[in-house]
């Protein structure tokens, strides 16, 4: 069995039931963290409808938040989810403003990690964006449509 993530009649992703269930649970976590709806509807009859405009807003907020953290654990816990969202956004035709995201992030830092060596912030934009895009590209190859 598998599930379908769709915009209109176009299937963006067709994962297994387990992968879809885990992804949708992570969506709920990040909706709560961002205090924004994701635009991903409930799974009904093996289909999850995506509302493009709402999803685009969620994607941009998620990437901005991800860009503003340098916390090792937060990044480790979120990178697979963020990469998967980037793939879905690309397949949905959502333009991601990588140039804006690559600059030092606007807004307050979140989840800054404090250690004996001092505070850590996010990496320079170039390495951050390159690494995230590479992760998304790797995930895309394994994400069936």
């Amino acid at each position: 069995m598998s599930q379908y993530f769709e915009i209109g009649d176009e299937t963006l992703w067709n994962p297994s039931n387990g992968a879809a269930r885990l992804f949708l649970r992570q969506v709920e976590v990040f909706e709560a963290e961002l205090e924004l709806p994701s635009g991903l509807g409930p799974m009904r009859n093996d289909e999850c409808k995506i509302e493009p405009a709402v999803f685009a807003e969620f994607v941009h907020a998620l990437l901005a938040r991800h860009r503003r953290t340098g916390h090792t654990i937060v990044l480790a816990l979120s990178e697979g989810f963020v990469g998967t969202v980037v793939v879905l956004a690309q397949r949905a035709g959502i333009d991601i403003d990588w140039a804006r995201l690559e600059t030092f992030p606007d807004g307050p830092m979140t989840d800054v990690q404090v250690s004996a060596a001092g505070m850590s912030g996010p990496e320079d934009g170039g390495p951050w964006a390159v690494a995230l895009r590479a992760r998304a590209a790797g995930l895309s190859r394994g994400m069936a449509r």
Side-chain angles (χ1 to χ4, degrees):
M1 268 325 272
S2 59
Q3 311 282 287
Y4 296 87
F5 289 80
E6 303 175 327
I7 290 182
D9 292 334
E10 183 181 358
T11 298
L12 303 180
W13 185 29
N14 178 227
S16 68
N17 291 350
R21 188 173 49 253
L22 182 59
F23 177 74
L24 287 173
R25 287 186 176 143
Q26 289 178 312
V27 166
E28 292 173 4
V29 167
F30 283 93
E31 285 175 327
E33 285 294 311
L34 297 170
E35 298 179 347
L36 283 175
S38 65
L40 279 80
M43 189 61 71
R44 291 199 177 115
N45 299 320
D46 296 330
E47 296 178 350
C48 174
K49 297 294 183 183
I50 300 172
E51 190 175 331
V54 177
F55 184 54
E57 185 177 342
F58 178 80
V59 168
H60 289 103
L62 178 68
L63 290 174
R65 181 181 189 280
H66 190 265
R67 176 70 181 104
R68 288 192 313 265
T69 188
H71 195 287
T72 305
I73 301 303
V74 172
L75 291 171
L77 290 170
S78 63
E79 284 177 347
F81 175 77
V82 172
T84 303
V85 167
V86 167
V87 173
L88 288 175
Q90 290 170 335
R91 290 179 180 180
I94 294 170
D95 288 326
I96 297 172
D97 189 352
W98 291 106
R100 185 177 62 83
L101 288 166
E102 287 175 355
T103 62
F104 197 79
D106 291 333
M109 298 300 297
T110 60
D111 299 311
V112 177
Q113 186 168 337
V114 179
S115 69
M119 290 192 329
S120 68
E123 295 181 18
D124 291 339
W128 173 85
V130 168
L132 184 54
R133 293 170 91 172
R135 178 128 176 98
L139 288 168
S140 182
R141 288 188 287 277
M143 289 175 62
R145 284 187 181 230

